[in-house]
Each structure stands twice: as structure tokens, then as C-alpha cells.
Amino acid sequence: MKLSHLIDGEWVASDASAASINPSNTEEVVAHYPLGGAAEVDAAVAAARRAFGGWAAASPEVRSDLLDRVGSTVMARAAELGELLAREEGKTRAEATGEVMRAARIFKYFAGEALRRHGRTLESTRPGLDVEVWREAVGVVGLITPWNFPIAIPAWKAAPALAFGNTVVLKPAQHTPAVAHALAAIIAECGAPAGVFNLVLGQGQVGAAVAAHPGIDAISFTGSQAVGGKVAQAAVARGARVQLEMGGKNPLVVLADANLDRAVAIALDGGFFQTGQRCTASSRVIVEDAVHDRFVAALAERASALRVGAALDPATEVGPASNQSQYEQNLRYIDIATADGGRLVTGGDALRLDTPGYYMRPALIADTAPDMRINREEVFGPLVSTVRVKDYDEALAVANQGDFGLSAGIVTTSLARARHFRRNVRAGMVMVNLPTAGVDYHVPFGGTRGSSYGPREQGFAAVDFYTQMKTVYVGD
Ligand SMILES: NC(=O)C1=CN([C@@H]2O[C@H](COP(=O)(O)OP(=O)(O)OC[C@H]3O[C@@H](n4cnc5c(N)ncnc54)[C@H](OP(=O)(O)O)[C@@H]3O)[C@@H](O)[C@H]2O)C=CC1
Ligand SMILES: O=C(O)CCC(=O)C(=O)O
């Protein structure tokens, strides 16, 4: 498969290209993608700028109809897109198809949002005047998206951007260009006018060019803290809006009163499913002393029974790491955690299967201290660490440590503890008797502290980032 950029409604090639490969079989090329740079970003931004006036002024019904058609098309092609996503990203077919359906529903949700009232009319404090507060499109929006949700994250950024009248330049992760390309093709086929949605593919040059481009009015980024900081600096330096989502080190507290089987199932899902490649993954589990040893033994037993394999093998429960650098990072953190004094209870070894791929057995590391690197740094792989605590108060204190504050969970049968936790844990999202990962699309998504920056993403909150307010005073 040979991919192109989508600029001003045309499919455009670049001289240089690179390959995206199948992490379940690294000998298989999924697609060749062009290596864009500043010139392609310039052209895409110019096209988006030309298209902006018409798109922002279009009837909301026109925008709503486009998003609805995109949602229906993605849904109708869910099996095929799910297979492509599983091949390119490495999550299982079921996980991939679920993500595609989520993307479809996001487009349909924002088809509705395009038609909803987001402005306000108020009485003026001065007699005889009216005051209206409008929500206007911001302009050209740059989206920099990661590989771990290669269709859902572009969907949850692009759908609200388009719904509220902005035009888009999307720079997807270099590891998953084919999925982004498929989405761009659907948006174009469904009738987006030329320049309304642009795609620039590449590696090493495009992201920074998008972040620094003076023609881009707002940037939404999901990825690492290190890159997020650079994106924010570039955006703030030129007064552009910026929204960052930068991951987590999400605590899952297991109290002694919890149903143990349920707690283990929750930790297994939150920690290992989707190969742990979720910013919301339950990567550190904080367990009350009274159940700690039984919990660790039961989680280790379930984790070691998980079937690791190729994404498209129906028996697979945990796919490979998505790319080589992530795979190496996962293996490196096993060494870091054990060198720091953690006890590797199960997994953590590289696996050789029928096809060469980035396979690792899910790893459980016990006896870790809260300030170890394994409990402070996002790994983004199938690694779960446990911390033993004497009681709920200590569990809450440990949960609140660290630089991240995306999602936090508690497993308990105590309503009082669950209530206290909801109110006092420092996180943007709180889960009671649920994994820290797995969110709805119609409600705000985001964290506190080092996890997120700027207005919340998704659901009814998305309007805040993708529109700006204009206050209009009307006299007689
Ligand atoms: N929060 C989340 O959901 C995610 C978190 N992560 C975390 O990040 C780690 C590394 O993953 P990785 O894929 O390397 O993710 P990065 O955060 O390094 O993101 C890479 C993306 O950022 C772009 N980029 C790089 N430099 C700049 C810059 N100066 N300005 C603007 N954009 C830039 C790249 O584009 P270009 O190639 O054009 O430079 C690429 O698309 C993971 O292990 C995980 O911990 C990763 C994915 C998702
Ligand atoms: O937990 C989820 O459903 C979403 C996770 C996510 O957004 C991410 O990992 O980037």
C-alpha cells in the first residue's frame, strides 16, 4: 500500500518515503508513506486557511451531515478498518474493531453537537440593550496524534474541530500512517470541501513544523510529556491555543474489603489489555497489606495465563508492542524496576513466536516503593507494579504522589471509602470498581498536573477548545 498526503483535496506524494511495519510480523510492510516536511505543512496550512471562511460560515447542517456520513461510513467499514488497525498498531482484532466503532460514534456524536446551541443570549445590565455571546470557530487547527489509538484520537480531535467550523491539518504518528490515511480518505469521500481536512504524513519534521507554524491558530497534541512541553512552548511563543494530553501513571487502589476476583479482573484489564498502551492504563496497583500477597499471587496467575500473540490471531489476548522503540522501552523498564529492588513475579521476557514481532509476556513487579522510577515514569507497556500499604490513608497518599494525574481507580465494597477517594484523589478521572482505562466519548477526558494542559478534550467539553467566544452588544 502506497500512501500520500491529502492537501487541498488532492493526494500528494513526497520524494522520500518510509515504511510502516506490522509489529506482529516485522517482516511485513503495511504501507509506504511519504516523508513530508515544512513545505507540505505550509501547503496544507495555506489550503486550510483558504477553506476556513467557507467552512466556518457553512450551515451547521452541512457540517453535521458530513460528520454523520463519516460516522456511518467508518461504522459500515469497521471490520476492514479494524483489521488494518490491528495489523499496523498491533492491538487485537476485537480491540481494534472496538476502537473503530468508537471513532464512528464520536463522529456521530459531533454531528449532533454541530447543531446544538452553544452560544447564549442575556439581558444587558443597561436598559434597552441585548447581549449575545457567540461561539465562533478558532481557525486552522493542527492535530498531532499518537499511534496507540490511531483512529479514535484523530476522531476525537478532528470531529469537534470540523463540527464547530474549523479546518484541520492532521499529523498522525509515523507508526500508524495507514489508519490515518484511511480516515482521511473517508472524510474526503464523504464530501469535505477541498482544504477543510488535510493530512501530512512524515517522521521527524512534520510535528515541529505544525507546532511552530504561524498559520495554525490552535494545536491539540496527545503523546509524551517531553514532546508535549515543546509543543506548548512553540504554541505559546506565538500566541496559539494549545491543548496537551500527555499520559499517566494511573494508580489503582485495592482495599482489603474488595472482592478479590473482581479486583484481579479489574487490574488485569486496566494493566495489560491493549498491551498496556493506554495513557489511562492501571500501571501501579496499590494494595492493602491484608490482601496484598493473595492479590499478587492471583494477578500473577491470571497474567501468566494471558495468551500473547499476533494481533489477528483469534486466540490472542495481548498483542505485541506497537513499535520497536516502545518494545525496547518495555524491556528496559523490567531491568530498571528490578535493579531498583522490585521483584519480578511473572513475565517480562521477550517472546519468540511463529512470526518475528515485538512480543513480551505481561509483567508483574511486586515489592516496589512509591518513589521508584517504575512508579513515577510512564512505561506504556504490559507492565504492572504493586505497592503494599498498611491502610486506606496510606493508599490515598501514595496514589496522590508523582507528576501525573490522569485517571485513578479504587476497588472496594465500602461506599464511604469510595466516596472519600472520589473527592480526594488528585486525578482528572476517577473510576470506582472499574479499571482506570476505558472511557466514554460524550464526557470530558483529561487530567491534572503533568497529564494534561489546556481545556479538556471530548464530549460536551470539546466546544471550549474548538471555539472562541465573541460578546456582541446590540442597542436600539
Ligand atoms: N498520552 C498518550 O496517549 C501517549 C503517550 N505516549 C508516551 O510517549 C512515549 C513515546 O512515544 P512516541 O511515539 O515517541 O511519542 P512522542 O510523544 O515522542 O510523539 C511523537 C510525535 O510527536 C511529534 N513531535 C516530535 N517532536 C515534536 C516537536 N518538537 N513539536 C511537535 N511535534 C513533535 C512527532 O512528529 P514528527 O515525527 O514529525 O517529529 C510524532 O508524531 C511512549 O512510550 C508513551 O510513554 C505515546 C503515545 C500516546
Ligand atoms: O482509556 C481509554 O479509553 C482512552 C485511553 C487514551 O485515550 C489513551 O491511551 O490515549
Side-chain angles (χ1 to χ4, degrees):
M1 195 189 305
K2 196 161 181 292
L3 311 179
S4 309
H5 312 291
L6 176 64
I7 299 174
D8 207 9
E10 304 287 333
W11 293 103
V12 180
S14 292
D15 291 341
S17 74
S20 87
I21 59 149
N22 178 350
S24 303
N25 177 3
T26 54
E27 286 166 358
E28 184 190 314
V29 170
V30 177
H32 294 278
Y33 63 95
L35 290 174
E40 285 78 9
V41 173
D42 275 347
V45 173
R49 178 63 56 201
R50 285 193 296 277
F52 173 65
W55 185 246
S59 155
E61 191 175 69
V62 170
R63 301 198 294 259
S64 173
D65 284 351
L66 172 71
L67 296 176
D68 191 47
R69 281 195 298 275
V70 172
S72 297
T73 308
V74 171
M75 217 173 253
R77 291 175 49 188
E80 166 214 334
L81 291 167
E83 181 166 325
L84 175 66
L85 198 161
R87 273 181 68 221
E88 192 172 54
E89 198 273 347
K91 62 183 70 173
T92 66
R93 188 193 291 271
E95 291 168 344
T97 308
E99 183 189 333
V100 171
M101 289 302 288
R102 176 173 173 176
R105 293 197 167 101
I106 288 167
F107 277 100
K108 287 188 166 283
Y109 173 83
F110 283 105
E113 282 291 274
L115 294 170
R116 251 163 235 135
R117 182 184 69 93
H118 296 289
R120 286 184 188 197
T121 304
L122 294 88
E123 297 294 328
S124 170
T125 53
R126 287 170 279 168
L129 270 66
D130 291 327
V131 186
E132 294 166 2
V133 182
W134 297 352
R135 289 271 190 178
E136 291 186 336
V138 178
V140 177
V141 174
L143 309 178
I144 304 175
T145 56
W147 42 264
N148 63 324
F149 282 89
I151 193 164
I153 294 180
W156 79 53
K157 294 183 193 293
L162 297 173
F164 300 126
N166 305 279
T167 53
V168 169
V169 177
L170 169 64
K171 192 281 165 197
Q174 74 266 28
H175 304 295
T176 49
V179 175
H181 192 272
L183 178 63
I186 288 172
I187 293 173
E189 281 158 28
C190 285
V196 163
F197 182 90
N198 304 273
L199 174 75
V200 182
L201 300 172
Q203 175 188 350
Q205 313 220 346
V206 183
V210 167
H213 203 290
I216 291 185
D217 303 295
I219 299 176
S220 181
F221 167 87
T222 300
S224 65
Q225 272 185 330
V227 175
K230 291 183 196 165
V231 170
Q233 276 182 1
V236 170
R238 59 190 176 75
R241 279 183 179 217
V242 63
Q243 174 186 63
L244 310 173
E245 202 287 287
M246 299 169 291
K249 193 75 216 177
N250 311 290
L252 177 70
V253 170
V254 175
L255 295 186
D257 62 24
N259 174 304
L260 195 72
D261 288 346
R262 190 168 181 195
V264 168
I266 287 170
L268 195 80
D269 175 330
F272 299 123
F273 289 0
Q274 306 219 14
T275 321
Q277 295 172 159
R278 294 188 280 188
C279 55
T280 46
S282 312
S283 48
R284 49 185 185 125
V285 184
I286 301 162
V287 193
E288 240 186 322
D289 186 40
V291 285
H292 177 274
D293 293 353
R294 279 189 294 137
F295 174 85
V296 167
L299 183 59
E301 191 183 330
R302 293 283 304 273
S304 60
L306 286 171
R307 285 185 297 259
V308 178
L312 291 174
D313 179 341
T316 295
E317 293 172 293
V318 175
S322 199
N323 54 75
Q324 187 173 353
S325 76
Q326 186 58 58
Y327 186 49
E328 287 168 0
Q329 177 160 304
N330 296 347
L331 294 168
R332 195 165 61 244
Y333 268 93
I334 300 288
D335 294 340
I336 291 171
T338 49
D340 283 351
R343 177 172 56 94
L344 183 59
V345 185
T346 184
D349 47 328
L351 268 182
R352 281 177 180 276
L353 300 178
D354 295 344
T355 51
Y358 302 130
Y359 302 110
M360 185 185 103
R361 259 187 254 275
L364 178 62
I365 301 158
D367 303 338
T368 68
D371 58 353
M372 284 181 187
R373 285 182 66 189
I374 190 68
N375 288 320
R376 288 188 285 112
E377 297 170 13
E378 181 173 59
V379 181
F380 224 59
L383 279 78
V384 170
S385 54
T386 58
V387 178
R388 185 194 297 264
V389 289
K390 64 176 183 309
D391 56 18
Y392 167 75
D393 291 339
E394 189 184 353
L396 178 64
V398 171
N400 281 337
Q401 287 177 11
D403 294 336
F404 290 106
L406 187 59
S407 182
I410 187 166
V411 191
T412 180
T413 49
S414 161
L415 275 177
R417 288 272 154 75
R419 183 167 193 272
H420 189 271
F421 187 80
R422 293 203 303 269
R423 286 168 182 257
N424 292 288
V425 75
R426 296 166 69 205
M429 296 176 288
V430 186
M431 312 289 188
V432 176
N433 293 324
L434 289 167
T436 53
V439 301
D440 286 0
Y441 55 85
H442 63 310
V443 288
F445 176 93
T448 58
R449 297 177 279 158
S451 287
S452 304
Y453 179 83
R456 284 280 189 269
E457 295 204 82
Q458 298 201 53
F460 64 81
V463 72
D464 290 335
F465 183 71
Y466 291 104
T467 63
Q468 57 197 348
M469 286 191 241
K470 179 182 272 177
T471 309
V472 179
Y473 296 87
V474 185
D476 292 337

